[in-house]
Amino acid sequence: MLFLGIDVGSSSVKLSVLDGQSGKSLGSISHPESELAIQSPRAGWAEQDPAVWWDCVKQGCRRLFASDKIDPSRISAIGISYQMHGLVLVDAQQQVLRPAIIWCDSRAVANGNQALQELGQGYCFDHLLNSPGNFTAAKLRWVQENEPDTFARVHKMMLPGDYIAMKLTGEITTTASGLSEGTLWDFQNKSVATRLLEHWQISTDVIPTLVPSFGEQGIVNAAAADELGIRAGTRVSYRGGDQPNNAFSLNVLQPGEVAATAGTSGVIYGVTDKPAADLESRVNTFLHVTNSDEKPRNGVLVCVNGTGRLYSWLRQTLNATGQSVSYAQLNALAADIPVGSDGLIFHPFGNGAERIYQNKNLGAQLRNLDFNRHGLGHMVRAAQEGIVFSLNQGFDVLKALGGRCEVVRAAKGNMFLSDVFTQAFANTTQAAVELFETDGAEGAARAAALGSGFYATQADAFNGLQRVGVVEPDKALFAQYQDAYQQWAALLPV
């Protein structure tokens, strides 16, 4: 049996097909090969057209199934991973009413902050485990206040993964894990956060039907099957936000285990069995995809919006000059520069409001530039170190909340393809980094196999997962990285 994983990101849609018997990927692709556009009609806004995501799924499937190794008729189930915190609105005919407001959009910060003041920290941190901040619920409130004509036509609100599931099955559903990432889940009552919605005079009717993260979520209808080239009746058996899914992909399931990723945003994600809440809202707690009443599992998430986005901006800016610079070439340039980038400092906060700074929009900054000492290699290394240092601040908060951080698991991809970045991460955080050959789409395919019952246990789902390397902290470099980190932190624009 084969299993299809779909990972809807803000830069591309990734797809992977897993052979359930061997536990190995038969093929994976990313579509489009260039990065998807993010529309920003006003400062701090970030939107995408959900129809573009679905088109990428369709075109990606055509490319993926062109391989002789993959027979799409053998696909038994589908798993969906998706960019978290987005808002998709549809009418009663399942037509999208406006562009999706995605994760790095900052427009709803004031709405979330006002709700925190009016409802009080007691309710928000005891029941939601978070401030409404800038999450999906606050974005829905923004539409209600600023686009009343659109809001009046809303039949259901969805997360990006719910939209893809709707296109596959024709049914509008969501998960408790997904609602929790939008501050729409009451952890104490184990139900939709009705008090928050009632406070905003939003009917709970806009919330889709709940389905489990693993299990029966619907079947692919004839129209979607024809568009994708798979069998009608194929089961959809898993759905998870990209960071809980990334943790699942890396077999990070138990309290104390930690995952990291550094794609467009950078994330540290630690699993706990406690309802941990940070009263300063620097980190956030959501239901992990493996949560159950018998075994509570929450994910404490540290997110920095500007991480990989800085690196892609740097590459795009260089390429705009007529050069053709690859990420591998940038990584090679960084490797020739010493720890600390000869005093050059990059703060990577140029991709919207940052949670670890209580949703302030700090902007990116390049500091200490010396025309006589610094070149492109210094800038590239400073960017990589700045990303690591920004993540380390959240790492410290995670430790303060009781997280154990001796070992971090990461997929060997994105920023972790850089030896400089990985070594900087290990030596700054003082955690060993275990690297695995996987990605979010492959993880979603494994989860689909587990959710469909093909794998009897969670352990069975990871038999084919390969660890490809370990990077340990180097005691000889500890002082150098600590000195560079302190210099970086001393110039933070906060």
Side-chain angles (χ1 to χ4, degrees):
M1 286 189 180
L2 305 184
F3 300 91
L4 173 64
I6 301 170
D7 183 15
V8 180
S10 48
S11 58
S12 67
V13 173
K14 297 177 182 176
L15 300 104
S16 182
V17 171
L18 184 83
D19 182 337
Q21 194 66 39
S22 68
K24 305 290 186 183
S25 175
L26 296 182
S28 61
I29 61 98
S30 180
H31 191 89
E33 296 178 76
S34 58
E35 293 188 9
L36 287 173
I38 295 176
Q39 307 303 324
S40 184
R42 295 187 188 179
W45 289 22
E47 300 181 341
Q48 289 182 320
D49 182 355
V52 172
W53 304 334
W54 179 241
D55 188 62
C56 287
V57 172
K58 292 188 292 184
Q59 295 192 51
C61 280
R62 294 189 192 106
R63 288 177 53 203
L64 188 59
F65 299 157
S67 168
D68 293 337
K69 292 188 289 186
I70 299 172
D71 178 359
S73 69
R74 293 175 55 209
I75 292 174
S76 175
I78 298 173
I80 302 167
S81 170
Y82 59 90
Q83 49 173 298
M84 298 168 71
H85 314 311
L87 175 68
V88 180
L89 300 174
V90 296
D91 64 17
Q93 287 72 48
Q94 299 188 356
Q95 297 301 305
V96 174
L97 292 171
R98 68 169 329 281
I101 303 175
I102 67 171
W103 58 278
C104 54
D105 188 290
S106 307
R107 76 185 72 182
V109 170
N111 300 88
N113 290 344
Q114 183 178 3
L116 176 64
Q117 293 176 358
E118 293 172 348
L119 290 169
Q121 286 195 354
Y123 167 76
C124 290
F125 290 107
D126 289 346
H127 288 263
L128 308 178
L129 297 189
N130 301 285
S131 163
N134 190 38
F135 298 114
T136 311
K139 292 167 183 171
L140 181 63
R141 171 64 168 172
W142 184 93
V143 175
Q144 180 194 38
E145 286 193 323
N146 293 276
E147 299 177 354
D149 292 343
T150 297
F151 188 82
R153 298 167 58 201
V154 171
H155 172 59
K156 297 292 180 184
M157 57 76 55
M158 292 182 287
L159 299 155
D162 303 335
Y163 171 79
I164 298 300
M166 182 194 76
K167 296 299 289 185
L168 288 168
T169 68
E171 301 173 19
I172 302 178
T173 59
T174 193
T175 65
S177 178
L179 291 180
S180 75
E181 75 186 54
T183 66
L184 287 162
W185 186 254
D186 188 317
F187 282 78
Q188 282 198 6
N189 296 328
K190 298 180 181 179
S191 65
V192 174
T194 54
R195 183 175 170 189
L196 175 63
L197 291 172
E198 288 170 355
H199 176 72
W200 282 332
Q201 297 181 317
I202 297 175
S203 171
T204 56
D205 290 345
V206 302
I207 304 297
T209 302
L210 280 172
V211 293
S213 293
F214 293 86
E216 196 63 53
Q217 297 190 359
I219 59 173
V220 176
N221 60 31
D226 183 61
E227 289 185 292
L228 301 185
I230 60 178
R231 290 184 300 106
T234 301
R235 298 169 65 186
V236 178
S237 58
Y238 168 75
R239 197 180 319 170
D242 52 6
Q243 299 310 326
N245 178 73
N246 179 66
F248 177 86
S249 306
L250 296 162
N251 197 14
V252 171
L253 308 175
Q254 303 305 327
E257 296 179 336
V258 179
T261 184
T264 304
S265 64
V267 169
I268 309 291
Y269 185 97
V271 177
T272 178
D273 55 2
K274 304 287 193 303
D278 175 30
L279 298 184
E280 296 181 51
S281 298
R282 297 162 297 175
V283 302
N284 302 102
T285 301
F286 309 119
L287 287 175
H288 195 31
V289 287
T290 56
N291 177 73
S292 68
D293 290 340
E294 300 76 29
K295 293 183 178 180
R297 295 290 183 268
N298 295 323
V300 181
L301 185 148
V302 176
C303 180
V304 179
N305 285 350
T307 52
R309 184 69 183 92
L310 164 60
Y311 215 48
S312 66
W313 173 87
L314 194 58
R315 177 172 174 259
Q316 289 167 1
T317 301
L318 290 170
N319 287 345
T321 66
Q323 303 179 61
S324 180
V325 182
S326 68
Y327 287 121
Q329 289 172 314
L330 292 180
N331 295 340
L333 285 171
D336 291 334
I337 305 299
V339 174
S341 309
D342 283 333
L344 190 63
I345 286 172
F346 223 139
H347 293 127
F349 310 116
N351 196 32
E354 292 289 359
R355 287 182 228 163
I356 61 171
Y357 298 110
Q358 297 177 310
N359 282 322
K360 293 176 183 175
N361 198 332
L362 304 178
Q365 294 192 14
L366 186 64
R367 308 290 293 271
N368 295 342
L369 179 62
D370 185 329
F371 299 142
N372 298 312
R373 297 174 59 212
H374 298 136
L376 179 58
H378 292 89
M379 189 179 297
V380 175
R381 174 129 195 166
Q384 293 203 13
E385 290 180 343
I387 292 166
V388 168
F389 295 158
S390 64
L391 287 170
N392 188 58
Q393 293 207 306
F395 211 75
D396 288 342
V397 178
L398 184 61
K399 290 177 183 177
L401 291 175
R404 300 197 308 273
C405 304
E406 292 82 12
V407 177
V408 174
R409 296 177 190 161
K412 191 170 177 60
N414 296 319
M415 297 299 300
F416 283 101
L417 288 170
S418 166
D419 292 339
V420 168
F421 179 87
T422 307
Q423 290 164 4
F425 187 98
N427 287 292
T428 302
T429 64
Q430 289 296 290
V433 180
E434 295 184 341
L435 296 170
F436 291 83
E437 196 68 57
T438 190
D439 61 23
E442 182 180 313
R446 288 187 192 279
L450 181 62
S452 70
F454 180 82
Y455 293 130
T457 67
Q458 290 178 359
D460 292 341
F462 298 99
N463 286 336
L465 183 63
Q466 283 190 314
R467 191 176 77 171
V468 294
V470 181
V471 177
E472 300 277 357
D474 185 341
K475 291 181 180 178
L477 295 175
F478 176 74
Q480 294 181 53
Y481 275 103
Q482 285 303 302
D483 182 60
Y485 174 57
Q486 294 303 326
Q487 291 186 45
W488 179 92
L491 291 175
L492 280 170
V494 292

